Amino acid sequence: MDNTPKSSASPLETVNAEIAKTARIARRDTDDITLIAVSKTQGTDKISPLLAEGHRVFGENRVQEAQEKWPALKQDYPDAQLHLIGQLQSNKAEDAVELFDCIHSLDRPSLLKALAKAMDKTGKRVPCFIQVNIGDEDQKGGCPIGELSAFIEQARSAGVPVAGLMCIPPADIEPAPFFAFLAKLAEDNGLEGLSMGMSSDYPVAIMLGATHIRVGTALFGERG
């Protein structure tokens, strides 16, 4: 018989406690780590409890889905921040600039051009993370490593704020070397932001310098 006391902590409290514990081990300030609650495919009935608990930073991967859910939520929680963490089509750039507070998937010149045009038109400068194809995977989006420095300069020249680098390591492989490599690439290019780490590996990412972690399953449960 299992007599272990059952925790009454909410998923958000559990994740925040793990963030704080890992930050202490890494000798980092928890204020330097932003938890993005990945609310893609989640209805407002699942998002509202986290907002009620006080969480304010959320991630969506589709512009249209976010447009359907978030205007009403932001009426009740105007200080909520919305991050686009999925691939962005160039023809959705203006919609993304208008709706999102940060974009994590800038990965190619055509999208850079579209975002720069949208930011000039709207007058809103949205910070962007450049997604790096850290595992050199053909099927995955991201700027090739060999083209990264030039692409960062292109973004800066176009007036697009570069917040840092983002990556999704290859599946089923130890992520730590990829996180460490992304941190080195950011340092080499004078960037501080590191968007890396998800539900299965965010403590490792924090140990290696993540400033933004993208957590869905640990907060909302497995998607059906």
Side-chain angles (χ1 to χ4, degrees):
M1 183 176 177
D2 182 5
N3 293 317
T4 304
K6 296 294 186 287
S7 171
S8 60
S10 70
L12 178 62
E13 289 170 333
T14 300
V15 171
N16 278 330
E18 184 67 24
I19 292 170
K21 173 186 171 183
T22 308
R24 283 196 302 272
I25 295 170
R27 298 187 177 183
R28 297 186 59 198
D29 190 333
T30 54
D31 290 341
D32 295 333
I33 302 163
T34 298
L35 169 62
I36 302 170
V38 178
S39 51
K40 65 179 184 180
T41 76
Q42 304 293 341
T44 56
D45 60 319
K46 297 289 184 67
I47 298 170
S48 294
L50 262 72
L51 286 162
E53 274 193 80
H55 193 70
R56 291 294 181 268
V57 186
F58 292 81
E60 294 283 342
N61 72 333
R62 292 177 62 246
V63 173
Q64 185 174 348
E65 182 185 344
Q67 287 173 322
E68 292 168 357
K69 293 190 297 192
W70 279 96
L73 288 167
K74 279 200 166 190
Q75 284 188 347
D76 293 330
Y77 299 94
D79 57 340
Q81 293 184 26
L82 200 55
H83 291 230
L84 179 64
I85 60 172
Q87 293 295 304
L88 177 59
Q89 297 175 329
S90 296
N91 63 0
K92 295 285 188 180
E94 188 172 332
D95 288 340
V97 167
E98 289 177 344
L99 181 60
F100 289 91
D101 300 289
C102 187
I103 294 169
H104 289 243
S105 50
L106 173 55
D107 63 352
R108 60 195 187 278
S110 59
L111 179 57
L112 172 60
K113 182 178 180 180
L115 285 170
K117 181 179 179 181
M119 291 184 196
D120 288 342
K121 179 179 178 180
T122 62
K124 182 182 177 186
R125 316 313 291 190
V126 179
C128 294
F129 286 84
I130 292 178
Q131 182 174 350
V132 181
N133 189 349
I134 202 71
D136 194 22
E137 299 175 272
D138 291 338
Q139 78 280 14
K140 194 172 285 182
C143 177
I145 293 165
E147 300 173 14
L148 179 60
S149 293
F151 190 52
I152 291 171
E153 288 308 313
Q154 290 173 20
R156 288 169 170 160
S157 297
V160 173
V162 180
L165 304 180
M166 180 272 238
C167 78
I168 303 172
D172 304 320
I173 299 178
E174 168 57 43
F178 298 98
F179 293 155
F181 188 25
L182 193 76
K184 179 66 164 58
L185 290 171
E187 181 182 5
D188 289 347
N189 287 280
L191 297 171
E192 295 184 357
L194 289 169
S195 173
M196 59 189 195
M198 296 184 284
S199 289
S200 61
D201 56 22
Y202 69 85
V204 177
I206 290 171
M207 291 294 295
L208 292 167
T211 60
H212 294 70
I213 56 174
R214 310 179 304 271
V215 178
T217 303
L219 292 171
F220 293 103
E222 294 287 349
R223 290 191 295 275

